[in-house]
Structures are given as C-alpha cells and as structure tokens.
C-alpha cells in the first residue's frame, strides 16, 4: 500500500515542532504534550502532561509580551545613556560656562541691637546696630554698621559704617531711650553715640560730654548703661581706674557711695518736680502665689 507523506502535528495544539524521544515517540516543543504513532501510521495517540499548573496555551503570549517590553525598555535606556556617556566631557564644559547671578550686596547681621523711634516726619524708623557680614565680598564691606529702616516698607533708608572700630567686631551693642527722649547707643562698652532723630543718623557725643567734669577728665575706659530701674545713667570706668555714675540729663557725676545717698534723697520731692507714671510687671511667684 503506497504511503502518503503527511506532516506530523501535535494532536493538542497542532504544532509541527517536536522532539523525538524514541522511535515514533515525540514531545511537542510548544505545549510539552507527548504523543506516539501506532503501527499502521494512521492513528496518532497522545498523552498530555503539564509541567506546571498554568495552561501551556497561555504561557507563550506572556513570554512574547515580556520580551517585547524588555526590548522596548532596553532601546529607550540605550538612547538616553549612550549619548551621555560619549558626550560627558562636552556636557561638563558647557555647564561650567553657565553664568551664575549673585547679589553682591547680600548680607546678614551678626551680633546686633534694635530700637525704634519716630523721625521728624512722624514715620516709624527701626535702627539696627551691629556687625554686618556681606556674603559675596572680599571683606571690603564687612564691618560694624548702624542702619535705619522704614518700619512700614522695610526699605533701608541709610547706613553708616562705625569707623572707630575698623578692625574690631562689634559684639556688644546697646541702646537706651532716656526720659527726655534722647536715644544713646554704646558699642563694645567703649563707644558712646547719640541718634539724631531729626536727620535719622548716628552722631558722636560732644567732645566735652565727659571732660567738662573734673572727675571724668582722665577719659573713659569703659561705659555701660545702669539698670533702667535706677534711672537714666551711665556706669563709667575712667582711664585712671575710678568708678563713676554719670546722669546726662541732670549733668551730675556720682561715686557709687554718693549715688546711694542721692537715691535716698530723691524720696523727698524738690520744688518743681514732675510726677512720672510707669508700670512694673512681675511673674507668678511660687513663694507668694497670690501676688
């Protein structure tokens, strides 16, 4: 009987891709189905087995999709990374040529003291005295300053460099407003200034501010404000080592001992003395909780 040539197909999925396990016994390379040929070459018997719980028919499309996605990702990454690798030096050189704009006038205050007052136009002014550090400067501008600002707009109206301390950092500034309205400033316990509130500027005290008093003629080595509760005064150490207390409004100089006597004498009102109202605030006390 003549034989016809026929393609041997998997009885499960129809694939012709197969692996011969032994004569006339095959395994489908697509779905792993094992099958064999009977003796008369007419019937094809098959034995289906799965290597996992997932149906073989669904594995192939997933593999194809994952392969396609991986290929796309590889192409995209290659398109991005390869130009960077080859042009790395050129990119770096271009970046160094980008101009950087900086504010040469940018600064910050170090140690400082602040006070406010009204100028001749009745505008509220804020005065700041301290060490002013410029961020992008070769220390040509960094120094001790006092600056005046408009309290409503924040605009700097003017600034002055404190040239009497060209090499010394101002780390101890102090302001005090006296009862007559005068505002004094002390720098590093050695410099005494007065604020010109009409022209909004800092001025030196007159040359004879201290020297007109015999007790202070040797000059001032150190100066501080006394406690506000003791009045509007200055605690001084003269160049010859004497301790004195000076009250500019009354224009009087006291030793520490005589100042105590003067304080007691103030308990008796002098003719023409004016009454002054002021407030004192205290914290809650554990010793006296009802006060």
């Amino acid at each position: 009987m003549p034989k016809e040539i026929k393609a041997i197909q998997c009885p499960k999925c129809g694939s012709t891709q197969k692996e011969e396990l032994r004569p006339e016994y095959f395994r489908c390379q697509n779905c792993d189905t094992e099958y064999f040929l009977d003796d008369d070459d007419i019937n094809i018997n098959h034995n289906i087995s799965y290597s996992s719980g997932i149906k073989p028919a669904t594995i192939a499309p997933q593999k194809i999709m994952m392969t396609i996605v991986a290929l796309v990702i590889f192409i995209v990454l290659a398109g991005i990374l390869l130009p960077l690798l080859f042009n790395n030096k050129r990119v770096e050189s271009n970046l160094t040529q980008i101009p950087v704009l900086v504010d040469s006038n940018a600064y910050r205050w170090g140690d400082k003291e602040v006070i406010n007052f009204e100028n001749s136009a009745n505008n509220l002014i804020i005065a700041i005295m301290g060490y002013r550090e410029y961020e992008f400067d070769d220390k040509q501008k960094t120094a001790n300053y006092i600056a005046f600002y408009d309290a409503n707009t924040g605009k700097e109206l003017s600034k002055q460099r404190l040239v009497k301390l060209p090499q010394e950092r101002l780390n101890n500034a102090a302001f005090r407003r006296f009862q007559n309205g005068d505002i004094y400033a002390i720098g590093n316990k050695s410099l005494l200034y007065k604020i010109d509130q009409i022209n909004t500027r800092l001025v030196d005290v007159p040359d004879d501010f201290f020297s007109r008093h015999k007790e202070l003629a040797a000059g001032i080595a150190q100066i501080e404000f006394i406690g506000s509760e003791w009045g509007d005064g200055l605690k001084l150490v003269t160049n010859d080592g004497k301790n004195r207390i000076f009250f500019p409004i009354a224009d009087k100089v006291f030793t520490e001992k005589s100042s105590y006597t003067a304080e007691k004498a103030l308990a008796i009102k002098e003719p023409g003395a004016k009454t002054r109202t002021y407030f004192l605030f205290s914290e809650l006390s554990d010793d006296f909780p009802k006060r």
Side-chain angles (χ1 to χ4, degrees):
M1 180 178 178
K3 295 184 179 180
E4 296 181 3
I5 299 175
K6 295 182 180 180
I8 300 177
Q9 297 179 330
C10 175
K12 176 64 179 178
C13 66
S15 173
T16 60
Q17 301 298 320
K18 59 187 179 300
E19 175 187 4
E20 187 175 8
L21 303 177
R22 55 182 179 274
E24 298 183 351
Y25 206 98
F26 305 91
R27 177 187 293 121
C28 177
Q29 292 182 342
N30 182 52
C31 64
D32 291 336
T33 299
E34 295 182 2
Y35 57 90
F36 63 92
L37 305 178
D38 61 5
D39 293 338
D40 56 9
D41 294 331
I42 296 176
N43 298 323
I44 300 176
N45 301 291
H46 61 274
N47 177 23
I48 301 174
S49 63
Y50 300 103
S51 59
S52 66
I54 302 175
K55 293 183 179 181
T58 61
I59 294 177
Q62 292 178 354
K63 290 182 178 180
I64 294 174
M65 183 60 67
M66 291 176 64
T67 302
I68 294 174
V69 172
L71 183 61
V72 171
I73 294 175
F74 175 78
I75 294 174
V76 172
L77 292 177
I80 295 174
L81 296 177
L82 288 178
L84 293 177
L85 292 175
F86 287 105
N87 298 322
N88 185 47
K89 293 183 179 180
R90 181 172 58 84
V91 171
E92 290 181 354
S93 63
N94 290 337
L95 288 176
T96 57
Q97 296 175 3
I98 296 177
V100 179
L101 299 178
V102 296
D103 184 3
S104 60
N105 292 318
Y107 65 87
R108 62 185 179 87
W109 288 98
D111 300 303
K112 66 181 185 299
E113 187 67 20
V114 181
I115 198 170
N116 61 76
F117 62 92
E118 289 186 355
N119 63 4
S120 57
N122 295 324
N123 294 324
L124 185 61
I125 305 299
I126 295 176
I128 300 178
M129 185 171 73
Y131 189 69
R132 188 157 160 169
E133 298 176 278
Y134 284 82
E135 297 183 7
F136 301 99
D137 185 62
D138 57 352
K139 296 186 179 181
Q140 293 295 322
K141 296 181 180 179
T142 296
N144 305 309
Y145 287 89
I146 184 169
F148 299 92
Y149 301 86
D150 187 314
N152 295 318
T153 64
K155 179 181 178 182
E156 183 178 270
L157 302 177
S158 64
K159 69 177 184 293
Q160 293 173 246
R161 187 165 179 167
L162 306 180
V163 295
K164 287 188 176 181
L165 287 175
Q167 303 298 330
E168 184 178 355
R169 175 172 177 146
L170 182 59
N171 54 22
N172 193 323
F175 285 113
R176 178 71 62 83
R177 180 183 285 105
F178 284 5
Q179 288 300 314
N180 62 353
D182 290 343
I183 299 177
Y184 291 93
I186 297 177
N188 283 357
K189 298 183 179 182
S190 60
L191 299 174
L192 179 66
Y193 301 96
K194 185 177 181 180
I195 291 183
D196 182 349
Q197 300 176 55
I198 296 177
N199 299 304
T200 315
R201 61 189 305 269
L202 192 70
V203 296
D204 296 329
V205 296
D207 293 337
D208 64 343
F209 189 79
F210 297 113
S211 61
R212 64 175 176 265
H213 296 278
K214 182 179 179 180
E215 302 94 324
L216 308 178
I220 307 303
Q222 183 174 308
I223 179 170
E224 299 178 74
F225 293 114
I226 64 174
S228 58
E229 67 273 19
W230 304 114
D232 298 328
L234 302 169
K235 183 178 180 181
L236 309 174
V237 178
T238 63
N239 287 331
D240 53 1
K242 297 178 181 179
N243 294 304
R244 295 290 184 267
I245 297 176
F246 176 49
F247 293 89
I249 297 177
D251 198 24
K252 293 183 178 180
V253 179
F254 297 91
T255 63
E256 291 186 356
K257 183 178 180 179
S258 64
S259 68
Y260 297 145
T261 304
E263 288 170 10
K264 293 179 181 179
L266 291 177
I268 303 174
K269 293 184 179 179
E270 297 181 359
K274 297 180 180 180
T275 300
R276 188 183 76 180
T277 302
Y278 63 95
F279 300 91
L280 293 177
F281 298 92
S282 62
E283 297 180 353
L284 183 63
S285 171
D286 293 333
D287 296 328
F288 305 97
K290 294 183 179 181
R291 295 186 181 181

